Amino acid sequence: MNPMPFDKVLIANRGEIAVRVMSACKDLDVETVAIYSDADIDAGHVRFADEAYNIGPAQAADSYLDQDAILDIAVQANADAIHPGYGFLAENSEFAQKVEETDGLTWVGPSSDAMTQLGEKTKARKAMQAADVPIVPGTTDSVESVDEIADFADENGYPVAIKAEGGGGGRGMKVVRSPEEAQEQLESAKREGKAYFDNDSVYLERYLDDPRHIEIQVLADAHGNVRHLGERDCSLQRRHQKIIEEAPSPTLSADLRERIADAARRGVDITNYTNAGTVEFLVEDGEFYFLEVNTRIQVEHTVSEEITGIDIVKWQLRIAAGEELSFEQEDIMFTGHAMEFRINAENTAEEFTPETGTLAIYDPPGGIGVRVDDAVRQGDVIGGDYDSMIGKLIVRGADRTECLARSRRAFEDFGVDGVVTTVPFHRMILTDERFVEGTHTTNYLDEELEQSKIESVQEQWGTESNASDPSEDYVNHDLLVEMGSRRFEMTLYQKESDIRFGLHQASSNPDGDRTPGGTAGQSEVSGNGFLNTSDDDRANSTGMATSDDSKRVEAEMQGTILTTNVEVGDEVEHGDVVCVLEAMKMENDIVTQHSGTVTEVGISEGESVDIGDLLVSLD
């Protein structure tokens, strides 16, 4: 292997995936730069990085999605490259282009042109059609009106899937099962697309009722080489969100496996795609249909690594540096079976509702065939500002039977307390007949598995949340200091016996005002000594929050108000939606348990709320 030309890489992400990229960088002797929001001052990716810079407030739009601020920090830190991880800006072609156009910076991922062609779903469908890859019937242009949905349904029938152009991981996807649902679901899909991907364009597809979800991991370099690393089966899902992924699929025939992999390579090759990517398909009744291309690293890339022995993230960096893939397709050996379990801070007995709390106990398992990717430690606070993922448990065995047995052993040894998690659910599903036989489909959890089973295991093996406000643990002191001829503002963060320093350059005027750019110019003195939560792709849920002793609708979780649906004087009935609250990348319809007249609306769109905050009062 050639020496890595990058000296320093900025990871434009947080949590588990940021640590995963940093680990690959350190294996290649490359220094790492973290960015962190105000909510992530104690984050694990900050602790793990060589340098860390404050990027802004907790709200992602003002921090992890602030393109110009990230570029400013990359230049300030003398980084050579930017790796976007997954989520946030990972599939934003505009940001990729800005990185490409910045002198001295390399984008670790496909080119912005390839991202535009394949990352936007309608363009990807056109490209796949040109490569003779089967696609689900749908539109190849964006849609704007309910009439277009009705026309599509007349031709293809209900249900109809509305999908965000820039979406992925179930975000920005809504299912319309009748004409009456069309308007609400169209608005919701466009709203999510704008909020998560800064793109409110949507398109339509025929919704397949009972498919398997199969995806192909690919690597492609700038020298015309395209390799696939086999398939992953991601069929165990909740509301289109993957929960368990495995490789290889337990259901594909050798012929179908080869046909799908060949279609993926064909589709990638025709677009001159480079770097890592995933081509996703739906499989039903022996036929397969192109779903989408994820122009980034995937959460579940780990299972492909386990059965091939290929470090995908290292190859992302090497390909970005111009290296040629060093192996042929026939050199790739697929050995054993691997599964990945997403450990989320969610209450599966309450419709997978996101949870917050402090990890009073965090003791992940080990042993042969067990890998844990995370960015947390015991004592960390799992907040509600971002995704609910705590980490990922990856288990490998000689075959699927051994993999299942090792997985059961690993979960028996998984110690976690203080935060409600999906651990009890995973313990249950590993003994579920349909899952063990591998006959489950994408709709199994939503439509077939008995909720009582989930509630029972949560009661048997679950833990209680000890949710707290992490901001209450800090006392902040603002200071103004001079070092040589330069003046700095200093924020002293004091937490029990811990003291953390945050520095940002100030202007030289007597009032000590900050330089233009505000917190975008802030930096941590050291990246050593910080902790964290984690990040991935979540879906949509329905929430209910009304105080039992009064007609007060209160927030049951931290989040951001997306829409308010009522005004003072409005009459509401039991079950009416009064607002939509985003928490951990999930849209929650907040409904009232009472009827009455609205006497107070305590929130506005875009406002952040905490647990217990007043949303709406009724008489």
Side-chain angles (χ1 to χ4, degrees), residues 357-363 377-382 390 415-421 463-468:
T358 300
L359 288 169
I361 295 175
Y362 183 69
D363 187 16
R377 289 183 179 173
Q378 189 164 298
D380 283 5
V381 174
I382 307 301
I390 294 174
V416 61
D417 197 8
V419 180
V420 178
T421 71
T463 182
E464 297 295 324
S465 173
N466 56 15
S468 62

Side-chain angles (χ1 to χ4, degrees), residues 87-99:
F88 292 134
L89 295 169
E91 293 183 280
N92 189 303
S93 60
E94 177 189 1
F95 182 58
Q97 184 176 1
K98 287 182 178 180
V99 175

Side-chain angles (χ1 to χ4, degrees), residues 401-418:
T401 299
E402 183 176 68
C403 186
L404 287 167
R406 283 183 176 170
S407 299
R408 287 190 285 268
R409 181 255 296 171
F411 275 106
E412 288 175 5
D413 294 342
F414 206 130
V416 61
D417 197 8

